[in-house]
Amino acid sequence: MTKTLLFTIRKGGVGKTTLCSNQAVLFANAGKKTLIIDLDPQANLIGQFGINPYSSNFKNIADITDGVAKFEDCLVGSKFHKIENLDILPANYQLGDSCESRSKDYYALIFRQIKAIIKSNTYDCVLIDTNPAWNKLIGYLVQTVDAVCIPFNAEPNSNFATEDFINEILPTMRDLDSKAKIFIIPNKFTIRKRKGEIVQDAEYQIYKQLEKLISTKKDKNIFLTPEINTSKQYANAITFDKKPVVCVNGISAYNKPKKQQKLLNEFIQSKI
């Protein structure tokens, strides 16, 4: 049965796309047939695999919905990015225009396409990357997926967005009988120690505030995952190596992010 993970939050720059692409590669490398669906018109996801999203004329989910392209003709497969077991259904800037220029029911049509892909059981894992917003399509998806992954940075604006999800969106999901696991992923953050004692700086206080909020919800399906503090290495992998960091071999600087991403992968897989 296909496992589905949605990477979403209203705040941009927190690491949705980076974490999604790295997690997908780990699934693929483990022999799981994996699909990433990019719903962000910025189309940065295929850029993480060394493919220029602005010079490539790839079709997207809206083209499939409109009947102008077939699903299999839209996929970016291993001949483009050299990773076995991984397909990408990319986005482009026209995806935003396609959705916003139509009625709100258009989101329901796209959702049906995604649901059909999932229900076909063609893939072991489907990961969905969204734009930093909230719309009706994401509202449909959070009711359907097995897991919602919320990257969180220990800074005020990211904290506000995460609190908004926990306080406003999560109760609605549960009212609609969603059983999705919720993974809050502290990204670009680490718990620092000095002389064996935790450094209780501003970032740590924000982290503890979120931890407390999660505990008050008494929801057995919401988890605060192991933290990741590898933003520079992730950026270097994308900029210089044109691939997710878990694909980079033989460079010691990438050992820490690989290890942390694998720990996150193990945590997620133990829960879904």
Side-chain angles (χ1 to χ4, degrees), residues 159-172:
N159 189 45
F160 295 150
T162 308
E163 286 184 349
D164 175 69
F165 180 90
I166 294 171
N167 288 326
E168 302 297 332
I169 298 166
L170 181 58
T172 302

Side-chain angles (χ1 to χ4, degrees), residues 6-198:
L6 177 70
F7 289 75
T8 189
I9 193 68
R10 279 194 257 210
K11 176 75 173 64
V14 294
K16 289 187 301 295
T17 300
T18 300
L19 292 170
C20 179
S21 60
N22 277 279
Q23 182 60 52
V25 171
L26 288 174
F27 281 145
N29 286 346
K32 298 179 186 293
K33 190 168 174 58
T34 302
L35 172 69
I36 310 175
I37 301 175
D38 188 5
L39 297 178
D40 187 349
Q42 295 179 90
N44 290 330
L45 193 142
I46 59 170
Q48 304 218 358
F49 295 86
I51 303 166
N52 187 332
Y54 302 105
S55 64
S56 305
N57 190 29
F58 294 116
K59 300 295 184 182
N60 60 60
I61 190 72
D63 296 307
I64 301 171
T65 303
D66 290 341
V68 299
K70 295 181 179 179
F71 170 69
E72 56 270 21
D73 296 331
C74 299
L75 297 176
V76 176
S78 59
K79 73 175 183 179
F80 292 97
H81 51 62
K82 313 302 182 189
I83 300 168
E84 295 299 321
N85 300 314
L86 179 65
D87 288 332
I88 303 171
L89 179 55
N92 59 38
Y93 70 93
Q94 294 172 328
L95 177 61
D97 296 336
S98 297
C99 293
E100 296 302 331
S101 63
R102 293 169 168 81
S103 70
K104 291 182 179 180
D105 289 341
Y106 191 68
Y107 285 126
L109 296 176
I110 289 182
F111 172 65
R112 287 174 200 157
Q113 286 292 335
I114 295 174
K115 198 170 182 180
I117 293 168
I118 294 168
K119 285 196 166 186
S120 72
N121 285 321
T122 303
Y123 294 93
D124 299 307
C125 304
V126 174
L127 293 82
I128 305 168
D129 186 34
T130 72
N131 55 324
W134 189 262
N135 56 42
K136 201 169 183 180
L137 175 57
I138 300 173
Y140 289 137
L141 288 168
V142 296
Q143 300 171 37
T144 306
V145 297
D146 296 299
V148 181
C149 301
I150 310 291
F152 159 79
N153 298 164
E155 53 88 17
N157 287 329
S158 176
N159 189 45
F160 295 150
T162 308
E163 286 184 349
D164 175 69
F165 180 90
I166 294 171
N167 288 326
E168 302 297 332
I169 298 166
L170 181 58
T172 302
M173 288 172 59
R174 298 312 188 213
D175 287 345
L176 294 169
D177 203 31
S178 168
K179 300 294 194 301
K181 304 293 195 305
I182 310 297
F183 297 111
I184 309 296
I185 306 172
N187 190 34
K188 306 178 187 178
F189 167 76
T190 192
I191 297 175
R192 298 188 298 116
K193 291 186 176 181
R194 186 180 297 127
K195 295 181 179 180
E197 298 292 329
I198 292 175

Side-chain angles (χ1 to χ4, degrees), residues 245-246 248-250 254-263:
V245 71
V246 293
V248 181
N249 294 315
Y254 293 123
N255 288 342
K256 181 180 177 182
K258 285 182 181 180
K259 182 179 179 180
Q260 291 189 331
Q261 187 78 47
K262 287 177 180 177
L263 286 173

